[in-house]
Structures are given as structure tokens and as C-alpha cells.
């Protein structure tokens, strides 16, 4: 399941992130890659232990917490502290799959990476190339969205970032351990939740149909969730 969520960050929040990142140190992005991925990766990152990464990461986590679509799609149990990357001209990240387990440097917990997310921080017209390309059972999908928008997709997916040919592509990226590990189950729950939201706009919340659908949703979450 690939989902585009517009406006996770406001325009003011995007500008704040950009200003802080422009004043920060960037290092080789291979530091967060596994042995195999490092061979395919050419980009820059903000050190994850830096103050700016912590501060902007908290801003993003707060934005995620208030976004109903992210909560419905990811069903988050734990979210890895957001990281920040940058692709200048000639940089790219060839096809790879994200590491299955990542240790959270702040808590020491190991996080299973069920859902991968990219939060765009560059306006689309400011760079050429740099598309996020994701392969799944339904084919190949390309994502290049406005600054402040987020795309999430299963971490099991083979994916890449195309080479940047003009400008610079900046983004935040992170992983979520979902309460529901199986992507197929998460997809069913997301689609059911969205249908319930639409139905509630048409018929009263107290109607037997809404009550029955809502009960089924929560009972499925109860059956599939791992806490």
C-alpha cells in the first residue's frame, strides 16, 4: 500500500526546517546504510545525533501525531526518529530494500521497519530527477510531491531515488513499526477506516450500519495488533 498524504507540514514549518538545515553540517549518507545498501547510496545526511536532527525530528513527530491519515495508514506503535537527507546534482540511491531492524539511538529499543516514509522538503520545481521509485506487486510507482507532503509504503518494497540532474532534493525519512505487521491486513484496515469516515458523512453515527462497521474495524485491530 502506497499512500500520498498532502500537507503533513505547513508552509511555515517547511521553511523553518529548510532554514535550520541550511545552517547545519551535512555528512556522507552511507553512515546509516547497511553493507549492501552503502554500495548503492550517494547522498548527504544530517548527523542523527545532532541537535538540529533532534529538534526537527520532534517537530515532524508532532505533525504525524495530529494527522489522522498517517495514523490510519501506519497504525504506529513506534516511529524511528526522523532523519534528513539531501541529493545534489549527480547523487542517487540505486534499488535497495530497507534494513528490517533498526536500533533507536534515543531509547535503545529495536524497531521493526514495517512502513517507510519520505517527507519532501524541496519544491518540485526546484530540482529535476530525484523521484522516489517504488516497486510492489502492482507495478512500479513514482513519487515526487510538493514540500510538506509525505509518501508512505511498505518497507519490504524494492525502491530507489533517481539521480538528481538539476538543483537539490531535500527530505526527511523514517520508519514505523506498526501495531499490525502484515501489509495486507493494514491495507484492509485503512480502506475500512476510510469507508467508515465517508459513511459517517452520509448517515448518523448512531445508525446500526455505522455501529456495526466500527465494531468490525476495532475487532479486526484487536485480532491483528501486536503490542
Amino acid at each position: 500500500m502506497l499512500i500520498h498524504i498532502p500537507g503533513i507540514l505547513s508552509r511555515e514549518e517547511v521553511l523553518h526546517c529548510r532554514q535550520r538545515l541550511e545552517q547545519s553540517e551535512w555528512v556522507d549518507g552511507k553512515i546509516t546504510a547497511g553493507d549492501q545498501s552503502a554500495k548503492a547510496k550517494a547522498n548527504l545526511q544530517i548527523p542523527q545525533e545532532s541537535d538540529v536532527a533532534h529538534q526537527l525530528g520532534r517537530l515532524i513527530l508532532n505533525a504525524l501525531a495530529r494527522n489522522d491519515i498517517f495514523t490510519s495508514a501506519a497504525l504506529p506503535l513506534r516511529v524511528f526518529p526522523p532523519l534528513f537527507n539531501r541529493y545534489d546534482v549527480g547523487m542517487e540511491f540505486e534499488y535497495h530494500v530497507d534494513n528490517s531492524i533498526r536500533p533507536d539511538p534515543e531509547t535503545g529499543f529495536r524497531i521493526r521497519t514495517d512502513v517507510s516514509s519520505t517527507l519532501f522538503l524541496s519544491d518540485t520545481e526546484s530540482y529535476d530527477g530525484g523521484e522516489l521509485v517504488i516497486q510492489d506487486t502492482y507495478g512500479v510507482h513514482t513519487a515526487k510531491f510538493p514540500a510538506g507532503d509525505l509518501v508512505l509504503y511498505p518497507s519490504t518494497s524494492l525502491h530507489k531515488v533517481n539521480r538528481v540532474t538539476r538543483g537539490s532534493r531535500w527530505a526527511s525519512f523514517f520508519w514505523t513499526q506498526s501495531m499490525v505487521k502484515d501489509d495486507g491486513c493494514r491495507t484492509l484496515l485503512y480502506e475500512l477506516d476510510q469507508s467508515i469516515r465517508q459513511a459517517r458523512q452520509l448517515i448518523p453515527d448512531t445508525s446500526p450500519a455505522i455501529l456495526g462497521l466500527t465494531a468490525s474495524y476495532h475487532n479486526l485491530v484487536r485480532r491483528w495488533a501486536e503490542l
Side-chain angles (χ1 to χ4, degrees), residues 3 15 27 32 54 61 78 83 90 93 114 123 130-131 136 141 189 191 195 200 202 209-210 216 221:
I3 297 179
L15 291 174
V27 298
T32 58
H54 289 160
L61 292 176
R78 299 186 183 96
L83 302 172
F93 198 165
D114 298 322
D123 292 323
E131 299 88 356
D136 64 15
H141 310 274
L189 288 169
E191 292 174 347
S195 294
R200 290 176 63 193
L202 303 174
I210 294 297
S216 294
V221 172

Side-chain angles (χ1 to χ4, degrees), residues 146-164:
D149 286 14
L150 179 140
V151 61
L152 62 82
Y153 55 96
S155 297
T156 53
S157 303
L158 196 65
H159 59 284
K160 68 174 181 176
V161 175
N162 283 339
R163 180 172 297 188
V164 171

Side-chain angles (χ1 to χ4, degrees), residues 37 40 93-97 133-135 140 158-161:
S37 295
F93 198 165
E94 298 174 7
Y95 272 121
H96 63 285
V97 172
V133 182
I134 303 161
Q135 290 188 13
V140 178
L158 196 65
H159 59 284
K160 68 174 181 176
V161 175

